[in-house]
Amino acid sequence: AAIYAEQATLANRPILRQGANGKWYLQFDGANDGLRSTYTTAFARDITVALQWRTEDGGSHDSYMSAMSKNDGVSGNIGWLMGVKTTTRQFGITTPGSAEIAYEASDSSDATWYRGVITVASAANALYTVYKNGVSVASATTTNGQHGASDVLVIGENSPTGASSWKGYIGHIVLVNGVLSAGQLALLDT
């Protein structure tokens, strides 16, 4: 089933653009652009989130840019944020309370498109795995970052505060209930 995200405030909508390759993507301004899901119960505790991303910012605002987040909107460690540290350009996942879960060891470039994937296999402790361009770059098991089915999914910022806004581009978003296998993850890059 399709899940839709929207932005009621016209000035806070990302710009839809088409690349030279014919593929569509969204451009986020890093200030207040963001999309929110209206269907909050769409995701089980086990989830795979994939997107193509490229940053446009040299690290001039928040220490973290959130490409996508899913949390209850309460400060603390409930939920997760998928994105990039602005100072080091490391891709990974953190909690709304800024507790790092898993990050790649190397930096990313502002001028390059990447395929980022996180998988969350929930149990008493959730196993988070971070993939970049099809390669597992980090993983961690933690009780921080657990999320519930009613949490809000937001693209381009931290839900629902609007902090940690993404400055750059996001395209080809895939959300799957369940954790994909390595073979299934490879299909996302085709």
Side-chain angles (χ1 to χ4, degrees), residues 60-158:
S60 61
H61 60 292
D62 289 349
S63 61
Y64 185 85
M65 291 193 301
S66 178
M68 187 173 291
S69 62
K70 183 173 179 10
N71 65 70
D72 64 359
V74 179
S75 62
N77 293 336
I78 306 300
W80 50 259
L81 289 79
M82 171 185 186
V84 174
K85 295 179 188 179
T86 55
T87 53
T88 61
R89 287 298 187 254
Q90 292 169 301
F91 174 71
I93 188 167
T94 190
T95 67
S98 299
E100 291 185 11
I101 297 174
Y103 278 89
E104 66 174 324
S106 61
D107 299 348
S108 304
S109 167
D110 276 348
T112 304
W113 279 94
Y114 298 97
R115 161 68 69 194
V117 178
I118 61 165
T119 61
V120 183
S122 297
N125 292 314
L127 171 61
Y128 290 84
T129 306
V130 178
Y131 298 86
K132 183 174 162 189
N133 293 340
V135 177
S136 175
V137 293
S139 66
T141 302
T142 179
T143 56
N144 285 344
Q146 291 280 4
H147 63 278
S150 63
D151 296 345
V152 176
L153 181 74
V154 177
I155 302 167
E157 62 185 4
N158 178 9

